[in-house]
Amino acid sequence: MIRVAIVGGGIAGLSAAYFLARKGADVSVFEQKYLLYGASGRNSGGLTAQFVNEPLIKLALRSLELYDRIQTETGFNFLLRKDGYIKIADEKNEDALKNEVDFQKKAGVNVRIVDPDFVRNLFPDINTQTFTAAAYFADGGVVFPWPVIWGLAKGCRELGVKIYDYTPVRVEVKGNEVLGVRADSELHKADYVINAAGAWSNEISRQAGIELGNRVFREEICVTESLKPYLDPYILDVSTGVYISQSMRGEIVGGILGKEAEEVSVKSSLDFLTAYARRVTELVPKLRGMSILRQWAGAYDVGRNGMPVIGTTKVKGFIQLNGFGRNGMSLALAAGEGVAELVLKGKSRIVQPFNP
Amino acid sequence: MKDRKVVCRCEDLTEEEIIHAIELGYDDLESLKRFTGATTGPCQGKGCLMHIIRILSQKTGKSVDEIGVTTQRQPVNPVPLYILAAKKGDEK
Ligand SMILES: Cc1cc2nc3c(=O)[nH]c(=O)nc-3n(C[C@H](O)[C@H](O)[C@H](O)COP(=O)(O)OP(=O)(O)OC[C@H]3O[C@@H](n4cnc5c(N)ncnc54)[C@H](O)[C@@H]3O)c2cc1C
């Protein structure tokens, strides 16, 4: 039986574990803290396929299918709503948005340019003065990241995967081959080690003697008190990076796209809160009286040229599955499925373009 | 309904539900919080965190120190967006 050790219990690591175990591999997942400690437990759950190259679009479309399938297979409700993902843009960013949509249409994405009134029909409280055009992806939407992780973990355990939480590990290599991972004094031997450590992936890669060079970002986010459900789609303002959606619990979840950081950090700031408050009250003036209940931050890693890094390396058995940036919830399920295929069959078409 | 001991009012969680989650394996505070939603409602744990820790301690035998507390998230009390959005010198 092929033994696989996976570093990182986020969506990428757990997805790979799930698909590997389904095909009979002997899989262990190691998480340094609790499941949900990484970006997979801190994100806004927006699901989209509005990307600017075909390999990413393929991963995203496949991931959308997999959400439905894994929900059924694991009997876990991901609180997934496919009510659409909308990018709005001002005059300055309108042309870029239109070009993007032209490309995406050709790549088979069900997306189109709509005017501000169209968006107001979907969400009456939006201030149509704040943007000039929008790109509407009807099949996108919002998922609640916590049950996604719980559900994957449950599915994994039922397939015999061992999940070790509160267990930081290091990769061990001998010569040009992986031996496994080490937790404290114990070596867990493995034929393959998968680096799914998100923002910590550079460090894990270095332990195998490989410079990965992913960039680390920090992104802040917050929620308001709960309202009755009334905002269906996910809305991203590409002009300012501000985004909002509503959770199934009724909170308005919103943030600002992340910025590159010197190191992995999950500190929150008042600067973020004021910048967010200004823009969100322009976009949706009626939210002015709503209170912020809680804010937090998360860290993710962006691979070279903004692409994920997925595939085998010069160290035999050491596999990269990281660099998902701001889009891991939209991409990583299919990437995990692809990596399982790569490990068990030697190749996978869907992840091939992301070869390290 | 007898013995319905509510421990988290915001999320309407009973002691039984917390115990059930612990028995499912969500037996550390961070996981328990995220699995049940306890401490993440409007009170942000002010009313329920101590109960949750007590139940966890009773069920797992861990001491309160071992269990620790969850990360305390800002803001301490809810702050309205219009206040955060105000610029220096704004009257309203
Ligand atoms: C605020 C915010 C909003 C976001 N919004 C969206 C969105 O709307 N849509 C979307 O698609 N994506 C979004 N993202 C991005 C998404 O969350 C990430 O791309 C995705 O979660 C990455 O998953 P991952 O499994 O690669 O990494 P992670 O979830 O970070 O998992 C990596 C895990 O590895 C563990 N680890 C690290 N080192 C070790 C070690 N030595 N031993 C053991 N374990 C280790 C970490 O603790 C961590 O849990 C957002 C991110 C943030 C922060």
Side-chain angles (χ1 to χ4, degrees):
Chain A
M1 216 199 254
I2 291 189
R3 283 171 310 177
V4 186
I6 298 177
V7 187
I11 187 167
L14 289 173
S15 171
Y18 183 76
F19 287 104
L20 280 162
R22 279 182 67 94
K23 292 276 154 56
D26 175 7
V27 188
S28 301
V29 176
F30 298 88
E31 168 54 49
Q32 60 180 349
K33 299 254 168 93
Y34 48 91
L35 299 181
L36 299 181
Y37 174 70
S40 302
R42 298 167 180 269
N43 66 79
S44 61
L47 300 182
T48 186
Q50 288 155 287
F51 298 111
V52 290
N53 65 61
E54 270 188 70
L56 285 178
I57 289 173
K58 284 195 176 133
L59 275 187
L61 293 177
R62 177 67 184 153
S63 293
L64 281 169
E65 289 171 11
L66 288 175
Y67 271 107
D68 293 334
R69 204 182 104 187
I70 298 175
Q71 261 193 133
T72 313
E73 285 172 1
T74 60
F76 222 87
N77 185 349
F78 292 168
L79 302 177
L80 172 63
R81 294 197 321 257
K82 290 187 183 169
D83 288 332
Y85 191 109
I86 303 176
K87 291 185 182 181
I88 60 177
D90 63 10
E91 241 166 356
K92 261 194 248 149
N93 295 282
E94 196 182 313
D95 286 345
L97 193 67
K98 286 183 173 158
N99 289 337
E100 192 186 304
V101 165
D102 284 342
F103 174 82
Q104 287 155 357
K105 274 187 181 161
K106 282 186 206 126
V109 183
N110 180 19
V111 62
R112 63 196 158 107
I113 288 288
V114 294
D115 59 22
D117 284 338
F118 180 95
V119 179
R120 196 176 52 198
N121 278 331
L122 293 176
F123 181 40
D125 281 359
I126 191 117
N127 176 0
T128 50
Q129 304 298 308
T130 53
F131 61 107
T132 54
Y136 175 54
F137 174 47
D139 306 336
V142 192
V143 73
F144 188 18
W146 292 358
V148 173
I149 297 302
W150 297 134
L152 276 173
K154 172 174 178 266
C156 281
R157 288 194 187 98
E158 284 168 2
L159 293 164
V161 175
K162 290 179 281 306
I163 300 179
Y164 298 86
D165 58 2
Y166 294 97
T167 309
V169 292
R170 292 181 59 82
V171 181
E172 292 236 345
V173 173
K174 193 175 170 207
N176 200 33
E177 213 173 309
V178 289
L179 276 182
V181 298
R182 181 174 294 279
D184 283 328
S185 56
E186 195 183 348
L187 177 67
H188 295 259
K189 286 196 184 148
D191 307 302
Y192 291 89
V193 172
I194 298 180
N195 177 9
W200 297 264
S201 293
N202 286 335
E203 196 183 314
I204 300 299
S205 190
R206 227 168 276 135
Q207 295 164 2
I210 294 170
E211 257 331 298
L212 177 60
N214 285 359
R215 293 183 299 147
V216 173
F217 279 60
R218 171 168 153 271
E219 181 161 324
E220 296 192 64
I221 180 166
C222 61
V223 297
T224 64
E225 55 201 315
S226 293
L227 287 172
K228 270 195 211 155
Y230 87 124
L231 166 57
D232 293 333
Y234 186 100
I235 299 177
L236 167 64
D237 175 25
V238 297
S239 313
T240 60
V242 167
Y243 55 85
I244 53 167
S245 66
Q246 188 171 20
S247 76
M248 296 292 254
R249 295 163 41 159
E251 305 154 326
I252 302 293
V253 181
I256 309 181
L257 295 181
K259 288 201 195 80
E260 192 163 356
E262 295 278 314
E263 54 189 44
V264 180
S265 154
V266 292
K267 274 207 199 101
S268 2
S269 72
L270 183 60
D271 283 351
F272 154 73
L273 221 48
T274 53
Y276 171 75
R278 275 185 205 131
R279 184 57 180 167
V280 85
T281 52
E282 281 167 13
L283 293 171
V284 191
K286 278 198 184 152
L287 291 179
R288 285 176 58 83
M290 295 292 295
S291 286
I292 300 293
L293 272 193
R294 169 166 95 254
Q295 70 173 129
W296 67 94
Y300 48 77
D301 60 321
V302 176
R304 257 168 292 113
N305 311 317
M307 298 275 274
V309 185
I310 311 170
T312 53
T313 60
K314 62 177 202 230
V315 174
K316 192 164 171 262
F318 186 68
I319 292 184
Q320 307 285 14
L321 177 60
N322 46 59
F324 290 98
R326 175 61 179 40
N327 300 302
M329 295 309 288
S330 307
L331 303 170
L333 285 187
E337 183 189 39
V339 155
E341 198 182 14
L342 179 70
V343 167
L344 299 171
K345 294 200 184 137
K347 71 177 201 203
S348 157
R349 213 182 283 157
I350 196 161
V351 297
Q352 212 283 324
F354 307 101
N355 205 29
Chain B
M1 239 189 274
K2 63 166 180 80
D3 281 353
R4 197 173 175 276
K5 257 196 242 169
V6 174
V7 289
C8 169
R9 275 191 239 171
C10 307
E11 300 295 309
D12 192 23
L13 293 164
T14 62
E15 179 144 346
E16 248 174 21
E17 283 165 312
I18 301 293
I19 290 173
H20 180 64
I22 296 170
E23 285 168 355
L24 282 176
Y26 303 96
D27 59 3
D28 68 284
L29 187 58
E30 298 288 359
S31 301
L32 187 61
K33 156 185 166 182
R34 289 167 177 79
F35 185 73
T36 60
T39 82
T40 69
C43 91
Q44 292 293 298
K46 289 191 206 77
C48 56
L49 183 59
M50 285 306 143
H51 289 297
I52 305 295
I53 292 175
R54 168 182 58 79
I55 300 169
L56 200 50
S57 171
Q58 284 167 346
K59 282 299 287 183
T60 62
K62 286 188 210 160
S63 72
V64 172
D65 276 350
E66 278 173 275
I67 291 169
V69 291
T70 56
T71 317
Q72 297 300 299
R73 307 270 190 220
Q74 288 130 312
V76 175
N77 285 311
V79 185
L81 283 166
Y82 71 89
I83 290 183
L84 293 164
K87 301 207 181 66
K88 261 195 198 133
D90 274 7
E91 295 262 318
K92 279 190 185 163

